[in-house]
Amino acid sequence: MTPDCPLPHHEDERVLLGHGAGGRLTAELLASLVLPAAAVPPGPLEDAALLPTAPELVLSTDGFVVSPLFFPGGDIGSLAVHGTVNDLAMRGAEPLALAVALIVEEGLPLAELRAVVESLGKAAAGAGAAVITGDTKVVGRGAADRLFVTTTGVGRRLPGLCPSAARARPGDAILLSGALGRHGAAVLSTREGLGFETDLTSDSRPLHRLVRALAPLGEAVHTLRDPTRGGLAATLNEIAEASGTGAEIEESVLPVPEPVAAVCDLLGLDPLHVANEGCLVAYVPERHADEALAALRSVPEGAEAVRIGDVVAEHPRRVVLRTRIGSHRVVDVPVGEQLPRIC
C-alpha cells in the first residue's frame, strides 16, 4: 500500500512580482488573502466603487510604480492622474477631486520630483479634478525605487449610466476606443533601450470625455473597462468571469500599431497582454453598436474606435479569438509578470 503523500507546503511563501501584474496570480492573491482578510463583500471587482450612502458618488484608489519615471508621452505624475480619472470613468463618473500620496526615496533629485508634481498638477487641471489633499513620505536609500505615487479620486456618476462588468449580456457588441499596446510598449522600449522610442508614445490620457459622449445611451452602456495591467486579454476575461458570458473577438480588426507589434515580436509578447492607459472597452447591445461607435469617434480620444467582437452565450467565462486564417484560440489571462513596473 502506497503511503499518503501530502502536497508540499512552504512556510516561507512570499509575495512575487507577478502578484501585482493584473493576471491570474493577482486574482488568486485577492481571492485567497486580500478580500477575505479585509472582509470585502462578495461581488464583481470593479475599477471603482459606489459609495453606499451616496451612490451617485464613486471612489477609486490606485498605486503607481512605473519605471522609468519619465517615458515618451508621459511620466508617473500624469499617469497617476489619468489612471485614477479613468477608473472613475469606467463606472460612468466624471472626476471631482483627487488625493495624492508620494513615497519618495532619499536621494531623488528635487528637479525630478518637481517635474513629476508639476506634470501631475497639469494633468489634474486638464481633467477638471482638483488635488485637494495628500501626503508625502521619504524613505531611506534602497527602501523604494525613487518615487511611488498613490492617487485616490472621487467622481460623480453621469445621469443614467450604471456600467458594470457584471452587466455584459449575450448579443452585446464589444467596442474598443483606440489602438492597443502603446503604453506598455513605450515604457518597455525606454527601459530596455530597444530603440523604438522615436516611434512609440504612451497613450496615457483621461477617458472621461469618451464616457460623457456615451452618456446619452444611458443604461444601454452595459460595461466599461480600461485594459491596463494584463492588457485586453485580462480585461475581457475579467468581464466574462463577472458576467458569466463568453466573448469572441476578431484578430483581423484589432488595432495593433506596427511599432507595438515590433516590440512584441522582439520580446516574445502577445499584444493582447500589453498594458494600455488611453483606451477603453465598451459593451453595448447590438442595436446600439453603430450609435456608440459614432459617439466614441466624435471625441479625439476615440477617433480610432472599432468593433472588435461580440458577447456570446456559448463557452461562458471564456474569451476566444478568431484568427486571420479562420481558426480559433482561447485568449487566456497571463499567469505572472511579463511586464513588470509598467504602471
Side-chain angles (χ1 to χ4, degrees):
M1 183 174 179
T2 304
D4 292 337
C5 182
L7 292 174
H9 176 71
H10 300 286
E11 295 293 343
D12 59 346
E13 288 181 331
R14 297 286 188 271
V15 173
L16 305 174
L17 197 58
H19 282 119
R24 194 176 303 161
L25 284 178
T26 300
E28 291 175 358
L29 181 68
L30 292 174
S32 66
L33 193 155
V34 176
L35 300 180
V40 176
L45 299 181
E46 306 282 4
D47 286 336
L50 310 184
L51 292 185
T53 57
E56 75 280 5
L57 296 180
V58 178
L59 178 70
S60 183
T61 192
D62 207 346
F64 296 85
V65 298
V66 64
S67 176
L69 299 181
F70 302 89
F71 46 84
D75 55 72
I76 194 171
S78 59
L79 179 65
V81 170
H82 296 159
T84 297
V85 166
N86 293 347
D87 283 347
L88 296 172
M90 296 309 101
R91 296 308 306 276
E94 294 202 307
L96 295 176
L98 296 172
V100 177
L102 305 176
I103 306 296
V104 187
E105 183 184 17
E106 180 188 16
L108 181 74
L110 285 176
E112 292 189 20
L113 180 60
R114 181 178 294 108
V116 167
V117 177
E118 287 178 349
S119 177
L120 186 152
K122 183 178 179 180
V131 177
I132 60 171
T133 189
D135 187 35
T136 301
K137 294 291 193 301
V138 177
V139 297
R141 295 175 187 266
D145 187 0
R146 306 185 74 202
L147 176 66
F148 299 153
V149 180
T150 296
T151 43
T152 299
V154 176
R156 179 178 287 114
R157 284 200 297 161
L158 292 164
L161 285 181
C162 51
S164 167
R167 291 191 63 224
R169 295 289 181 268
D172 282 355
I174 304 174
L175 313 180
L176 178 67
S177 70
L180 290 173
R182 284 178 174 156
H183 174 72
V187 172
L188 275 175
S189 183
T190 303
R191 187 163 67 211
E192 306 299 331
L194 301 181
F196 291 93
E197 292 85 349
T198 57
D199 301 317
L200 279 170
T201 301
S202 169
D203 64 344
S204 178
R205 57 189 170 186
L207 298 174
H208 62 293
R209 285 179 282 269
L210 278 176
V211 176
R212 188 187 304 156
L214 290 171
L217 278 73
E219 291 191 3
V221 182
H222 286 169
T223 303
L224 295 172
R225 277 291 175 97
D226 57 334
T228 53
R229 291 182 306 165
L232 183 64
T235 294
L236 296 181
N237 274 281
E238 288 167 2
I239 295 169
E241 180 66 31
S243 61
T245 61
E248 295 185 358
I249 58 174
E250 295 280 355
E251 184 180 34
S252 61
V253 300
L254 293 176
V256 180
E258 287 187 12
V260 173
V263 169
C264 290
D265 287 343
L266 186 64
L267 299 178
L269 300 173
D270 185 338
L272 294 178
H273 292 162
V274 178
N276 313 271
E277 291 290 348
C279 66
L280 62 78
V281 174
Y283 286 46
V284 299
E286 168 71 33
R287 65 184 181 277
H288 293 290
D290 290 341
E291 183 182 359
L293 267 179
L296 291 172
R297 291 169 179 168
S298 71
V299 181
E301 298 94 305
E304 299 176 282
V306 293
R307 179 174 178 171
I308 62 170
D310 303 278
V311 180
V312 297
E314 296 78 20
H315 52 77
R317 296 181 171 84
R318 179 173 293 180
V319 179
V320 172
L321 175 76
R322 294 190 286 264
T323 71
R324 289 184 175 87
I325 61 173
S327 62
H328 294 73
R329 73 172 175 91
V330 173
V331 177
D332 210 346
V333 180
V335 176
E337 183 66 273
Q338 291 183 312
L339 308 170
R341 306 286 301 280
I342 217 75
C343 60

Short mmCIF file of all heavy atoms in Angstrom, two decimals, residues 109-160:
data_model
loop_
_atom_site.label_atom_id
_atom_site.label_comp_id
_atom_site.label_asym_id
_atom_site.label_seq_id
_atom_site.Cartn_x
_atom_site.Cartn_y
_atom_site.Cartn_z
N PRO A 109 16.65 63.49 -7.05
CA PRO A 109 16.88 64.91 -7.33
C PRO A 109 15.59 65.72 -7.22
O PRO A 109 14.54 65.32 -7.74
CB PRO A 109 17.40 64.90 -8.77
CG PRO A 109 18.01 63.55 -8.94
CD PRO A 109 17.14 62.63 -8.14
N LEU A 110 15.67 66.86 -6.55
CA LEU A 110 14.49 67.70 -6.40
C LEU A 110 13.94 68.15 -7.75
O LEU A 110 12.73 68.35 -7.91
CB LEU A 110 14.82 68.92 -5.53
CG LEU A 110 14.95 68.65 -4.03
CD1 LEU A 110 15.37 69.93 -3.30
CD2 LEU A 110 13.65 68.13 -3.46
N ALA A 111 14.81 68.31 -8.74
CA ALA A 111 14.34 68.72 -10.06
C ALA A 111 13.40 67.67 -10.65
O ALA A 111 12.40 68.01 -11.31
CB ALA A 111 15.53 68.95 -10.99
N GLU A 112 13.71 66.39 -10.42
CA GLU A 112 12.84 65.33 -10.94
C GLU A 112 11.53 65.30 -10.18
O GLU A 112 10.46 65.11 -10.78
CB GLU A 112 13.54 63.97 -10.86
CG GLU A 112 14.73 63.85 -11.80
CD GLU A 112 15.28 62.43 -11.85
OE1 GLU A 112 14.54 61.48 -11.49
OE2 GLU A 112 16.44 62.26 -12.25
N LEU A 113 11.58 65.46 -8.86
CA LEU A 113 10.35 65.49 -8.08
C LEU A 113 9.47 66.66 -8.50
O LEU A 113 8.25 66.51 -8.67
CB LEU A 113 10.68 65.59 -6.59
CG LEU A 113 9.48 65.62 -5.64
CD1 LEU A 113 8.64 64.35 -5.77
CD2 LEU A 113 9.95 65.81 -4.19
N ARG A 114 10.09 67.81 -8.72
CA ARG A 114 9.32 68.98 -9.15
C ARG A 114 8.67 68.72 -10.50
O ARG A 114 7.49 69.05 -10.72
CB ARG A 114 10.23 70.21 -9.22
CG ARG A 114 9.50 71.48 -9.64
CD ARG A 114 10.42 72.70 -9.65
NE ARG A 114 10.87 73.02 -8.30
CZ ARG A 114 12.12 72.82 -7.88
NH1 ARG A 114 13.04 72.30 -8.68
NH2 ARG A 114 12.45 73.14 -6.64
N ALA A 115 9.40 68.12 -11.43
CA ALA A 115 8.86 67.85 -12.76
C ALA A 115 7.66 66.90 -12.68
O ALA A 115 6.65 67.10 -13.37
CB ALA A 115 9.94 67.26 -13.67
N VAL A 116 7.76 65.89 -11.83
CA VAL A 116 6.65 64.94 -11.68
C VAL A 116 5.42 65.62 -11.09
O VAL A 116 4.30 65.46 -11.59
CB VAL A 116 7.08 63.75 -10.81
CG1 VAL A 116 5.86 62.93 -10.38
CG2 VAL A 116 8.06 62.86 -11.54
N VAL A 117 5.63 66.41 -10.03
CA VAL A 117 4.49 67.03 -9.36
C VAL A 117 3.85 68.09 -10.25
O VAL A 117 2.62 68.23 -10.30
CB VAL A 117 4.91 67.62 -8.00
CG1 VAL A 117 3.74 68.34 -7.34
CG2 VAL A 117 5.41 66.51 -7.08
N GLU A 118 4.67 68.83 -10.99
CA GLU A 118 4.10 69.81 -11.92
C GLU A 118 3.29 69.12 -13.02
O GLU A 118 2.21 69.59 -13.41
CB GLU A 118 5.21 70.66 -12.53
CG GLU A 118 5.81 71.67 -11.54
CD GLU A 118 6.94 72.47 -12.15
OE1 GLU A 118 7.41 72.11 -13.26
OE2 GLU A 118 7.37 73.46 -11.52
N SER A 119 3.79 67.99 -13.51
CA SER A 119 3.05 67.23 -14.51
C SER A 119 1.74 66.70 -13.93
O SER A 119 0.70 66.73 -14.59
CB SER A 119 3.91 66.07 -15.02
OG SER A 119 3.21 65.28 -15.94
N LEU A 120 1.81 66.22 -12.70
CA LEU A 120 0.60 65.73 -12.03
C LEU A 120 -0.44 66.84 -11.91
O LEU A 120 -1.62 66.64 -12.21
CB LEU A 120 0.99 65.19 -10.66
CG LEU A 120 -0.06 64.50 -9.80
CD1 LEU A 120 0.61 63.48 -8.88
CD2 LEU A 120 -0.86 65.50 -8.96
N GLY A 121 0.01 68.02 -11.48
CA GLY A 121 -0.92 69.13 -11.34
C GLY A 121 -1.53 69.56 -12.66
O GLY A 121 -2.73 69.85 -12.74
N LYS A 122 -0.72 69.57 -13.71
CA LYS A 122 -1.22 69.94 -15.04
C LYS A 122 -2.25 68.92 -15.53
O LYS A 122 -3.28 69.28 -16.09
CB LYS A 122 -0.06 70.03 -16.02
CG LYS A 122 -0.45 70.47 -17.41
CD LYS A 122 0.77 70.58 -18.33
CE LYS A 122 0.36 70.99 -19.74
NZ LYS A 122 1.56 71.10 -20.63
N ALA A 123 -1.97 67.63 -15.31
CA ALA A 123 -2.90 66.59 -15.74
C ALA A 123 -4.22 66.68 -14.97
O ALA A 123 -5.30 66.51 -15.54
CB ALA A 123 -2.27 65.21 -15.54
N ALA A 124 -4.14 66.96 -13.66
CA ALA A 124 -5.35 67.09 -12.86
C ALA A 124 -6.19 68.27 -13.33
O ALA A 124 -7.42 68.15 -13.47
CB ALA A 124 -4.99 67.24 -11.38
N ALA A 125 -5.54 69.40 -13.58
CA ALA A 125 -6.26 70.57 -14.07
C ALA A 125 -6.91 70.28 -15.42
O ALA A 125 -8.05 70.68 -15.68
CB ALA A 125 -5.32 71.76 -14.16
N GLY A 126 -6.20 69.56 -16.28
CA GLY A 126 -6.74 69.24 -17.59
C GLY A 126 -7.95 68.33 -17.53
O GLY A 126 -8.81 68.36 -18.41
N ALA A 127 -8.01 67.51 -16.48
CA ALA A 127 -9.15 66.60 -16.32
C ALA A 127 -10.26 67.22 -15.48
O ALA A 127 -11.31 66.59 -15.29
CB ALA A 127 -8.69 65.29 -15.67
N GLY A 128 -10.04 68.43 -14.98
CA GLY A 128 -11.05 69.08 -14.16
C GLY A 128 -11.19 68.48 -12.78
O GLY A 128 -12.26 68.53 -12.17
N ALA A 129 -10.10 67.93 -12.26
CA ALA A 129 -10.13 67.28 -10.95
C ALA A 129 -9.08 67.93 -10.05
O ALA A 129 -7.88 67.68 -10.20
CB ALA A 129 -9.84 65.78 -11.08
N ALA A 130 -9.51 68.75 -9.12
CA ALA A 130 -8.57 69.45 -8.24
C ALA A 130 -7.93 68.48 -7.26
O ALA A 130 -8.57 67.57 -6.74
CB ALA A 130 -9.30 70.54 -7.46
N VAL A 131 -6.63 68.68 -7.02
CA VAL A 131 -5.94 67.95 -5.96
C VAL A 131 -6.21 68.70 -4.66
O VAL A 131 -5.77 69.84 -4.48
CB VAL A 131 -4.42 67.86 -6.22
CG1 VAL A 131 -3.72 67.16 -5.08
CG2 VAL A 131 -4.16 67.14 -7.54
N ILE A 132 -6.93 68.07 -3.74
CA ILE A 132 -7.39 68.80 -2.55
C ILE A 132 -6.73 68.34 -1.26
O ILE A 132 -6.85 69.01 -0.24
CB ILE A 132 -8.92 68.71 -2.40
CG1 ILE A 132 -9.38 67.26 -2.25
CG2 ILE A 132 -9.62 69.37 -3.57
CD1 ILE A 132 -10.85 67.12 -1.89
N THR A 133 -6.02 67.21 -1.28
CA THR A 133 -5.33 66.75 -0.08
C THR A 133 -4.29 65.72 -0.49
O THR A 133 -4.26 65.27 -1.64
CB THR A 133 -6.31 66.17 0.96
OG1 THR A 133 -5.63 65.93 2.19
CG2 THR A 133 -6.91 64.86 0.47
N GLY A 134 -3.44 65.34 0.48
CA GLY A 134 -2.42 64.35 0.15
C GLY A 134 -1.44 64.15 1.29
O GLY A 134 -1.66 64.61 2.42
N ASP A 135 -0.35 63.47 0.98
CA ASP A 135 0.66 63.15 1.98
C ASP A 135 1.98 62.91 1.27
O ASP A 135 2.00 62.46 0.12
CB ASP A 135 0.24 61.91 2.77
CG ASP A 135 1.16 61.63 3.95
OD1 ASP A 135 1.64 62.60 4.56
OD2 ASP A 135 1.41 60.44 4.23
N THR A 136 3.08 63.21 1.95
CA THR A 136 4.41 62.96 1.42
C THR A 136 5.26 62.27 2.48
O THR A 136 5.32 62.74 3.62
CB THR A 136 5.10 64.26 0.98
OG1 THR A 136 4.31 64.91 -0.01
CG2 THR A 136 6.49 63.98 0.41
N LYS A 137 5.88 61.15 2.10
CA LYS A 137 6.79 60.45 2.99
C LYS A 137 8.11 60.24 2.26
O LYS A 137 8.14 60.07 1.04
CB LYS A 137 6.22 59.08 3.40
CG LYS A 137 4.97 59.13 4.26
CD LYS A 137 5.24 59.67 5.65
CE LYS A 137 4.08 59.43 6.60
NZ LYS A 137 2.83 60.06 6.16
N VAL A 138 9.21 60.26 3.03
CA VAL A 138 10.54 59.98 2.48
C VAL A 138 11.09 58.75 3.19
O VAL A 138 11.03 58.65 4.41
CB VAL A 138 11.50 61.18 2.67
CG1 VAL A 138 12.89 60.84 2.16
CG2 VAL A 138 10.95 62.42 1.96
N VAL A 139 11.60 57.80 2.40
CA VAL A 139 12.19 56.58 2.96
C VAL A 139 13.67 56.55 2.59
O VAL A 139 14.14 57.27 1.71
CB VAL A 139 11.48 55.33 2.43
CG1 VAL A 139 10.03 55.32 2.88
CG2 VAL A 139 11.57 55.23 0.92
N GLY A 140 14.42 55.71 3.30
CA GLY A 140 15.87 55.66 3.11
C GLY A 140 16.27 55.11 1.74
O GLY A 140 15.48 54.47 1.04
N ARG A 141 17.51 55.37 1.40
CA ARG A 141 18.05 54.85 0.14
C ARG A 141 17.91 53.32 0.10
O ARG A 141 18.27 52.64 1.05
CB ARG A 141 19.52 55.23 -0.02
CG ARG A 141 19.75 56.72 -0.15
CD ARG A 141 21.24 57.04 -0.18
NE ARG A 141 21.49 58.48 -0.14
CZ ARG A 141 21.65 59.25 -1.22
NH1 ARG A 141 21.61 58.70 -2.42
NH2 ARG A 141 21.88 60.54 -1.09
N GLY A 142 17.39 52.83 -1.00
CA GLY A 142 17.21 51.40 -1.16
C GLY A 142 15.90 50.87 -0.61
O GLY A 142 15.55 49.71 -0.84
N ALA A 143 15.12 51.69 0.10
CA ALA A 143 13.85 51.25 0.66
C ALA A 143 12.70 51.40 -0.33
O ALA A 143 11.59 50.91 -0.08
CB ALA A 143 13.53 52.03 1.94
N ALA A 144 12.93 52.09 -1.42
CA ALA A 144 11.95 52.24 -2.51
C ALA A 144 12.76 52.45 -3.78
O ALA A 144 13.98 52.51 -3.74
CB ALA A 144 11.00 53.40 -2.25
N ASP A 145 12.09 52.55 -4.89
CA ASP A 145 12.77 52.80 -6.15
C ASP A 145 12.42 54.19 -6.64
O ASP A 145 11.49 54.38 -7.42
CB ASP A 145 12.39 51.74 -7.19
CG ASP A 145 13.21 51.86 -8.48
OD1 ASP A 145 14.07 52.77 -8.54
OD2 ASP A 145 13.00 51.06 -9.39
N ARG A 146 13.09 55.19 -6.07
CA ARG A 146 12.99 56.59 -6.47
C ARG A 146 11.67 57.24 -6.05
O ARG A 146 11.65 58.14 -5.23
CB ARG A 146 13.21 56.75 -7.97
CG ARG A 146 14.54 56.12 -8.44
CD ARG A 146 14.80 56.39 -9.90
NE ARG A 146 15.20 57.76 -10.10
CZ ARG A 146 15.08 58.40 -11.27
NH1 ARG A 146 14.56 57.76 -12.32
NH2 ARG A 146 15.49 59.64 -11.39
N LEU A 147 10.54 56.80 -6.62
CA LEU A 147 9.29 57.50 -6.33
C LEU A 147 8.09 56.60 -6.64
O LEU A 147 8.00 56.03 -7.72
CB LEU A 147 9.18 58.78 -7.18
CG LEU A 147 7.89 59.59 -7.06
CD1 LEU A 147 7.74 60.17 -5.66
CD2 LEU A 147 7.89 60.72 -8.10
N PHE A 148 7.19 56.47 -5.67
CA PHE A 148 5.91 55.80 -5.87
C PHE A 148 4.80 56.83 -5.62
O PHE A 148 4.93 57.69 -4.74
CB PHE A 148 5.72 54.62 -4.91
CG PHE A 148 6.75 53.52 -5.06
CD1 PHE A 148 7.07 52.72 -3.97
CD2 PHE A 148 7.39 53.29 -6.26
CE1 PHE A 148 8.00 51.70 -4.10
CE2 PHE A 148 8.33 52.28 -6.40
CZ PHE A 148 8.64 51.48 -5.31
N VAL A 149 3.71 56.73 -6.36
CA VAL A 149 2.60 57.68 -6.24
C VAL A 149 1.29 56.91 -6.06
O VAL A 149 1.04 55.95 -6.79
CB VAL A 149 2.49 58.58 -7.48
CG1 VAL A 149 1.32 59.58 -7.33
CG2 VAL A 149 3.79 59.33 -7.73
N THR A 150 0.49 57.32 -5.09
CA THR A 150 -0.86 56.78 -4.93
C THR A 150 -1.86 57.91 -5.09
O THR A 150 -1.71 58.97 -4.47
CB THR A 150 -1.03 56.14 -3.54
OG1 THR A 150 -0.15 55.03 -3.43
CG2 THR A 150 -2.46 55.66 -3.34
N THR A 151 -2.85 57.69 -5.92
CA THR A 151 -3.91 58.69 -6.12
C THR A 151 -5.25 58.08 -5.76
O THR A 151 -5.55 56.93 -6.09
CB THR A 151 -3.96 59.19 -7.57
OG1 THR A 151 -3.82 58.08 -8.46
CG2 THR A 151 -2.86 60.18 -7.85
N THR A 152 -6.06 58.86 -5.08
CA THR A 152 -7.44 58.49 -4.75
C THR A 152 -8.35 59.53 -5.35
O THR A 152 -8.08 60.74 -5.24
CB THR A 152 -7.65 58.42 -3.23
OG1 THR A 152 -6.77 57.43 -2.69
CG2 THR A 152 -9.09 58.08 -2.88
N GLY A 153 -9.40 59.08 -6.02
CA GLY A 153 -10.28 60.03 -6.69
C GLY A 153 -11.74 59.82 -6.30
O GLY A 153 -12.19 58.71 -6.01
N VAL A 154 -12.47 60.93 -6.29
CA VAL A 154 -13.92 60.92 -6.09
C VAL A 154 -14.56 61.49 -7.35
O VAL A 154 -14.10 62.52 -7.88
CB VAL A 154 -14.33 61.75 -4.86
CG1 VAL A 154 -15.86 61.80 -4.73
CG2 VAL A 154 -13.72 61.17 -3.61
N GLY A 155 -15.59 60.83 -7.84
CA GLY A 155 -16.30 61.31 -9.02
C GLY A 155 -17.80 61.24 -8.82
O GLY A 155 -18.29 60.60 -7.88
N ARG A 156 -18.52 61.90 -9.73
CA ARG A 156 -19.99 61.86 -9.70
C ARG A 156 -20.49 61.19 -10.96
O ARG A 156 -20.10 61.54 -12.07
CB ARG A 156 -20.57 63.27 -9.59
CG ARG A 156 -22.11 63.27 -9.59
CD ARG A 156 -22.69 64.67 -9.42
NE ARG A 156 -22.52 65.15 -8.05
CZ ARG A 156 -21.75 66.18 -7.73
NH1 ARG A 156 -21.07 66.83 -8.67
NH2 ARG A 156 -21.64 66.58 -6.48
N ARG A 157 -21.38 60.20 -10.79
CA ARG A 157 -21.90 59.47 -11.94
C ARG A 157 -22.75 60.36 -12.83
O ARG A 157 -23.54 61.18 -12.35
CB ARG A 157 -22.73 58.28 -11.49
CG ARG A 157 -21.90 57.11 -10.99
CD ARG A 157 -22.70 55.82 -11.03
NE ARG A 157 -23.86 55.88 -10.14
CZ ARG A 157 -24.91 55.07 -10.24
NH1 ARG A 157 -24.97 54.18 -11.20
NH2 ARG A 157 -25.90 55.16 -9.38
N LEU A 158 -22.57 60.18 -14.14
CA LEU A 158 -23.42 60.87 -15.10
C LEU A 158 -24.81 60.25 -15.06
O LEU A 158 -24.94 59.03 -14.95
CB LEU A 158 -22.83 60.75 -16.50
CG LEU A 158 -21.51 61.51 -16.71
CD1 LEU A 158 -20.81 61.02 -17.98
CD2 LEU A 158 -21.77 63.00 -16.78
N PRO A 159 -25.86 61.05 -15.15
CA PRO A 159 -27.23 60.53 -15.06
C PRO A 159 -27.48 59.43 -16.08
O PRO A 159 -27.14 59.56 -17.27
CB PRO A 159 -28.10 61.76 -15.34
CG PRO A 159 -27.24 62.92 -14.95
CD PRO A 159 -25.84 62.53 -15.30
N GLY A 160 -28.07 58.33 -15.61
CA GLY A 160 -28.45 57.24 -16.50
C GLY A 160 -27.40 56.19 -16.72
O GLY A 160 -27.71 55.09 -17.20
#
